[in-house]
mmCIF file of all heavy atoms in Angstrom:
data_model
loop_
_atom_site.group_PDB
_atom_site.id
_atom_site.type_symbol
_atom_site.label_atom_id
_atom_site.label_comp_id
_atom_site.label_asym_id
_atom_site.label_seq_id
_atom_site.Cartn_x
_atom_site.Cartn_y
_atom_site.Cartn_z
ATOM 1 N N GLY A 1 -60.726 -3.527 207.377
ATOM 2 C CA GLY A 1 -61.159 -4.903 207.639
ATOM 3 C C GLY A 1 -61.359 -5.740 206.379
ATOM 4 O O GLY A 1 -61.677 -6.926 206.455
ATOM 5 N N HIS A 2 -61.148 -5.140 205.220
ATOM 6 C CA HIS A 2 -61.405 -5.844 203.966
ATOM 7 C C HIS A 2 -60.374 -6.966 203.717
ATOM 8 O O HIS A 2 -59.188 -6.792 203.949
ATOM 9 C CB HIS A 2 -61.352 -4.868 202.782
ATOM 10 C CG HIS A 2 -61.473 -5.570 201.472
ATOM 11 N ND1 HIS A 2 -62.652 -6.074 201.001
ATOM 12 C CD2 HIS A 2 -60.527 -5.880 200.543
ATOM 13 C CE1 HIS A 2 -62.436 -6.658 199.849
ATOM 14 N NE2 HIS A 2 -61.163 -6.551 199.537
ATOM 15 N N ARG A 3 -60.888 -8.091 203.212
ATOM 16 C CA ARG A 3 -60.049 -9.181 202.729
ATOM 17 C C ARG A 3 -60.619 -9.622 201.396
ATOM 18 O O ARG A 3 -61.827 -9.873 201.269
ATOM 19 C CB ARG A 3 -60.007 -10.368 203.702
ATOM 20 C CG ARG A 3 -59.335 -10.060 205.037
ATOM 21 C CD ARG A 3 -57.866 -9.683 204.853
ATOM 22 N NE ARG A 3 -57.220 -9.265 206.078
ATOM 23 C CZ ARG A 3 -57.071 -8.025 206.482
ATOM 24 N NH1 ARG A 3 -57.583 -7.018 205.780
ATOM 25 N NH2 ARG A 3 -56.435 -7.729 207.604
ATOM 26 N N ALA A 4 -59.765 -9.739 200.406
ATOM 27 C CA ALA A 4 -60.186 -10.052 199.048
ATOM 28 C C ALA A 4 -60.754 -11.461 198.954
ATOM 29 O O ALA A 4 -60.317 -12.380 199.658
ATOM 30 C CB ALA A 4 -58.997 -9.906 198.088
ATOM 31 N N ARG A 5 -61.727 -11.589 198.070
ATOM 32 C CA ARG A 5 -62.299 -12.906 197.760
ATOM 33 C C ARG A 5 -62.580 -12.963 196.265
ATOM 34 O O ARG A 5 -62.731 -11.932 195.600
ATOM 35 C CB ARG A 5 -63.559 -13.157 198.569
ATOM 36 C CG ARG A 5 -64.726 -12.264 198.196
ATOM 37 C CD ARG A 5 -65.935 -12.438 199.071
ATOM 38 N NE ARG A 5 -66.530 -13.734 198.830
ATOM 39 C CZ ARG A 5 -67.674 -14.137 199.369
ATOM 40 N NH1 ARG A 5 -68.319 -13.341 200.187
ATOM 41 N NH2 ARG A 5 -68.163 -15.320 199.105
ATOM 42 N N GLN A 6 -62.686 -14.160 195.765
ATOM 43 C CA GLN A 6 -62.966 -14.358 194.349
ATOM 44 C C GLN A 6 -64.476 -14.540 194.154
ATOM 45 O O GLN A 6 -65.136 -15.187 194.971
ATOM 46 C CB GLN A 6 -62.235 -15.582 193.815
ATOM 47 C CG GLN A 6 -62.399 -15.771 192.330
ATOM 48 C CD GLN A 6 -61.629 -16.973 191.802
ATOM 49 O OE1 GLN A 6 -61.199 -17.837 192.547
ATOM 50 N NE2 GLN A 6 -61.460 -17.005 190.487
ATOM 51 N N VAL A 7 -64.988 -13.968 193.088
ATOM 52 C CA VAL A 7 -66.392 -14.113 192.769
ATOM 53 C C VAL A 7 -66.654 -15.560 192.347
ATOM 54 O O VAL A 7 -65.814 -16.218 191.749
ATOM 55 C CB VAL A 7 -66.828 -13.105 191.661
ATOM 56 C CG1 VAL A 7 -66.214 -13.435 190.309
ATOM 57 C CG2 VAL A 7 -68.327 -13.012 191.579
ATOM 58 N N ASP A 8 -67.825 -16.040 192.699
ATOM 59 C CA ASP A 8 -68.273 -17.339 192.247
ATOM 60 C C ASP A 8 -69.779 -17.272 191.992
ATOM 61 O O ASP A 8 -70.435 -16.269 192.289
ATOM 62 C CB ASP A 8 -67.913 -18.458 193.236
ATOM 63 C CG ASP A 8 -68.496 -18.262 194.623
ATOM 64 O OD1 ASP A 8 -69.577 -17.632 194.769
ATOM 65 O OD2 ASP A 8 -67.896 -18.758 195.603
ATOM 66 N N LEU A 9 -70.301 -18.334 191.433
ATOM 67 C CA LEU A 9 -71.712 -18.329 191.067
ATOM 68 C C LEU A 9 -72.628 -18.221 192.285
ATOM 69 O O LEU A 9 -73.676 -17.571 192.237
ATOM 70 C CB LEU A 9 -72.058 -19.569 190.246
ATOM 71 C CG LEU A 9 -73.349 -19.524 189.447
ATOM 72 C CD1 LEU A 9 -73.456 -18.277 188.571
ATOM 73 C CD2 LEU A 9 -73.487 -20.770 188.582
ATOM 74 N N ASP A 10 -72.248 -18.795 193.410
ATOM 75 C CA ASP A 10 -73.056 -18.674 194.634
ATOM 76 C C ASP A 10 -73.188 -17.214 195.049
ATOM 77 O O ASP A 10 -74.269 -16.761 195.432
ATOM 78 C CB ASP A 10 -72.466 -19.497 195.776
ATOM 79 C CG ASP A 10 -72.648 -20.984 195.609
ATOM 80 O OD1 ASP A 10 -73.558 -21.405 194.857
ATOM 81 O OD2 ASP A 10 -71.877 -21.734 196.229
ATOM 82 N N LEU A 11 -72.092 -16.480 195.009
ATOM 83 C CA LEU A 11 -72.117 -15.068 195.365
ATOM 84 C C LEU A 11 -72.965 -14.275 194.370
ATOM 85 O O LEU A 11 -73.712 -13.374 194.755
ATOM 86 C CB LEU A 11 -70.683 -14.516 195.419
ATOM 87 C CG LEU A 11 -70.457 -13.157 196.030
ATOM 88 C CD1 LEU A 11 -71.062 -13.047 197.416
ATOM 89 C CD2 LEU A 11 -68.957 -12.869 196.070
ATOM 90 N N MET A 12 -72.877 -14.632 193.097
ATOM 91 C CA MET A 12 -73.704 -13.967 192.095
ATOM 92 C C MET A 12 -75.196 -14.269 192.327
ATOM 93 O O MET A 12 -76.028 -13.384 192.133
ATOM 94 C CB MET A 12 -73.270 -14.390 190.691
ATOM 95 C CG MET A 12 -71.882 -13.855 190.330
ATOM 96 S SD MET A 12 -71.272 -14.468 188.758
ATOM 97 C CE MET A 12 -72.335 -13.600 187.610
ATOM 98 N N HIS A 13 -75.519 -15.477 192.756
ATOM 99 C CA HIS A 13 -76.914 -15.816 193.059
ATOM 100 C C HIS A 13 -77.418 -15.031 194.265
ATOM 101 O O HIS A 13 -78.598 -14.683 194.327
ATOM 102 C CB HIS A 13 -77.073 -17.315 193.320
ATOM 103 C CG HIS A 13 -77.195 -18.109 192.078
ATOM 104 N ND1 HIS A 13 -78.394 -18.453 191.512
ATOM 105 C CD2 HIS A 13 -76.236 -18.630 191.269
ATOM 106 C CE1 HIS A 13 -78.187 -19.151 190.411
ATOM 107 N NE2 HIS A 13 -76.883 -19.269 190.231
ATOM 108 N N TRP A 14 -76.528 -14.725 195.215
ATOM 109 C CA TRP A 14 -76.897 -13.947 196.393
ATOM 110 C C TRP A 14 -77.352 -12.537 195.995
ATOM 111 O O TRP A 14 -78.282 -11.976 196.581
ATOM 112 C CB TRP A 14 -75.693 -13.889 197.346
ATOM 113 C CG TRP A 14 -75.855 -12.859 198.418
ATOM 114 C CD1 TRP A 14 -76.489 -13.020 199.611
ATOM 115 C CD2 TRP A 14 -75.396 -11.499 198.367
ATOM 116 N NE1 TRP A 14 -76.446 -11.838 200.327
ATOM 117 C CE2 TRP A 14 -75.786 -10.892 199.589
ATOM 118 C CE3 TRP A 14 -74.690 -10.739 197.440
ATOM 119 C CZ2 TRP A 14 -75.479 -9.566 199.883
ATOM 120 C CZ3 TRP A 14 -74.401 -9.433 197.737
ATOM 121 C CH2 TRP A 14 -74.796 -8.867 198.935
ATOM 122 N N ALA A 15 -76.706 -11.964 194.992
ATOM 123 C CA ALA A 15 -76.897 -10.557 194.647
ATOM 124 C C ALA A 15 -78.138 -10.306 193.805
ATOM 125 O O ALA A 15 -78.464 -11.090 192.902
ATOM 126 C CB ALA A 15 -75.665 -10.040 193.908
ATOM 127 N N ASP A 16 -78.778 -9.184 194.063
ATOM 128 C CA ASP A 16 -79.846 -8.676 193.194
ATOM 129 C C ASP A 16 -79.253 -7.925 192.014
ATOM 130 O O ASP A 16 -79.808 -7.897 190.928
ATOM 131 C CB ASP A 16 -80.769 -7.722 193.958
ATOM 132 C CG ASP A 16 -81.452 -8.374 195.139
ATOM 133 O OD1 ASP A 16 -81.950 -9.509 194.982
ATOM 134 O OD2 ASP A 16 -81.464 -7.754 196.220
ATOM 135 N N THR A 17 -78.122 -7.243 192.274
ATOM 136 C CA THR A 17 -77.425 -6.435 191.277
ATOM 137 C C THR A 17 -75.946 -6.745 191.380
ATOM 138 O O THR A 17 -75.389 -6.792 192.486
ATOM 139 C CB THR A 17 -77.646 -4.925 191.542
ATOM 140 O OG1 THR A 17 -79.067 -4.651 191.542
ATOM 141 C CG2 THR A 17 -76.969 -4.065 190.501
ATOM 142 N N ILE A 18 -75.304 -6.922 190.237
ATOM 143 C CA ILE A 18 -73.866 -7.216 190.169
ATOM 144 C C ILE A 18 -73.225 -6.126 189.346
ATOM 145 O O ILE A 18 -73.548 -5.964 188.151
ATOM 146 C CB ILE A 18 -73.599 -8.597 189.556
ATOM 147 C CG1 ILE A 18 -74.354 -9.682 190.326
ATOM 148 C CG2 ILE A 18 -72.098 -8.878 189.490
ATOM 149 C CD1 ILE A 18 -74.485 -11.004 189.588
ATOM 150 N N LEU A 19 -72.340 -5.349 189.968
ATOM 151 C CA LEU A 19 -71.761 -4.187 189.315
ATOM 152 C C LEU A 19 -70.283 -4.412 189.020
ATOM 153 O O LEU A 19 -69.462 -4.519 189.935
ATOM 154 C CB LEU A 19 -71.936 -2.948 190.208
ATOM 155 C CG LEU A 19 -73.377 -2.592 190.526
ATOM 156 C CD1 LEU A 19 -73.436 -1.481 191.559
ATOM 157 C CD2 LEU A 19 -74.124 -2.205 189.250
ATOM 158 N N ALA A 20 -69.956 -4.464 187.742
ATOM 159 C CA ALA A 20 -68.570 -4.621 187.287
ATOM 160 C C ALA A 20 -67.915 -3.251 187.184
ATOM 161 O O ALA A 20 -68.538 -2.288 186.721
ATOM 162 C CB ALA A 20 -68.541 -5.317 185.932
ATOM 163 N N MET A 21 -66.662 -3.184 187.593
ATOM 164 C CA MET A 21 -65.954 -1.904 187.552
ATOM 165 C C MET A 21 -65.479 -1.531 186.148
ATOM 166 O O MET A 21 -65.272 -0.355 185.871
ATOM 167 C CB MET A 21 -64.754 -1.932 188.498
ATOM 168 C CG MET A 21 -65.143 -2.036 189.960
ATOM 169 S SD MET A 21 -66.006 -0.573 190.570
ATOM 170 C CE MET A 21 -67.608 -1.254 190.879
ATOM 171 N N ASP A 22 -65.298 -2.514 185.265
ATOM 172 C CA ASP A 22 -64.900 -2.195 183.891
ATOM 173 C C ASP A 22 -65.403 -3.262 182.920
ATOM 174 O O ASP A 22 -65.947 -4.295 183.332
ATOM 175 C CB ASP A 22 -63.390 -1.981 183.759
ATOM 176 C CG ASP A 22 -62.551 -3.190 184.073
ATOM 177 O OD1 ASP A 22 -62.940 -4.324 183.690
ATOM 178 O OD2 ASP A 22 -61.474 -3.042 184.677
ATOM 179 N N ALA A 23 -65.216 -3.002 181.630
ATOM 180 C CA ALA A 23 -65.740 -3.883 180.594
ATOM 181 C C ALA A 23 -65.132 -5.274 180.627
ATOM 182 O O ALA A 23 -65.809 -6.254 180.338
ATOM 183 C CB ALA A 23 -65.526 -3.241 179.213
ATOM 184 N N SER A 24 -63.860 -5.377 180.981
ATOM 185 C CA SER A 24 -63.241 -6.720 181.043
ATOM 186 C C SER A 24 -63.839 -7.523 182.204
ATOM 187 O O SER A 24 -64.063 -8.731 182.064
ATOM 188 C CB SER A 24 -61.724 -6.659 181.117
ATOM 189 O OG SER A 24 -61.299 -6.130 182.346
ATOM 190 N N ASN A 25 -64.114 -6.881 183.333
ATOM 191 C CA ASN A 25 -64.792 -7.559 184.448
ATOM 192 C C ASN A 25 -66.215 -7.946 184.045
ATOM 193 O O ASN A 25 -66.680 -9.035 184.394
ATOM 194 C CB ASN A 25 -64.865 -6.659 185.680
ATOM 195 C CG ASN A 25 -63.526 -6.169 186.176
ATOM 196 O OD1 ASN A 25 -63.431 -5.064 186.657
ATOM 197 N ND2 ASN A 25 -62.475 -6.975 186.071
ATOM 198 N N LEU A 26 -66.873 -7.081 183.312
ATOM 199 C CA LEU A 26 -68.216 -7.354 182.831
ATOM 200 C C LEU A 26 -68.227 -8.600 181.936
ATOM 201 O O LEU A 26 -69.081 -9.474 182.092
ATOM 202 C CB LEU A 26 -68.750 -6.133 182.072
ATOM 203 C CG LEU A 26 -70.202 -6.194 181.595
ATOM 204 C CD1 LEU A 26 -71.158 -6.128 182.760
ATOM 205 C CD2 LEU A 26 -70.471 -5.036 180.630
ATOM 206 N N ALA A 27 -67.264 -8.684 181.034
ATOM 207 C CA ALA A 27 -67.177 -9.845 180.137
ATOM 208 C C ALA A 27 -66.912 -11.121 180.925
ATOM 209 O O ALA A 27 -67.514 -12.174 180.669
ATOM 210 C CB ALA A 27 -66.087 -9.614 179.103
ATOM 211 N N ALA A 28 -66.009 -11.058 181.902
ATOM 212 C CA ALA A 28 -65.702 -12.228 182.717
ATOM 213 C C ALA A 28 -66.916 -12.681 183.531
ATOM 214 O O ALA A 28 -67.178 -13.883 183.643
ATOM 215 C CB ALA A 28 -64.526 -11.940 183.643
ATOM 216 N N LEU A 29 -67.658 -11.732 184.047
ATOM 217 C CA LEU A 29 -68.888 -12.069 184.794
ATOM 218 C C LEU A 29 -69.907 -12.709 183.861
ATOM 219 O O LEU A 29 -70.616 -13.632 184.246
ATOM 220 C CB LEU A 29 -69.476 -10.814 185.450
ATOM 221 C CG LEU A 29 -68.732 -10.318 186.676
ATOM 222 C CD1 LEU A 29 -69.211 -8.906 187.045
ATOM 223 C CD2 LEU A 29 -68.884 -11.280 187.842
#
């Protein structure tokens, strides 16, 4: 049932914890 979505600041505000899968994702976040 998964459908991809792009991260945005609203989604980041929703989260208590944001887990990046790698260092480049971490830098982008």
Side-chain angles (χ1 to χ4, degrees):
H2 174 75
R3 294 297 175 264
R5 68 184 291 185
Q6 185 178 16
V7 68
D8 59 28
L9 197 52
D10 287 338
L11 192 53
M12 292 174 71
H13 278 266
W14 166 86
D16 299 316
T17 303
I18 304 163
L19 301 172
M21 294 294 113
D22 64 39
S24 68
N25 303 145
L26 185 69
L29 286 167

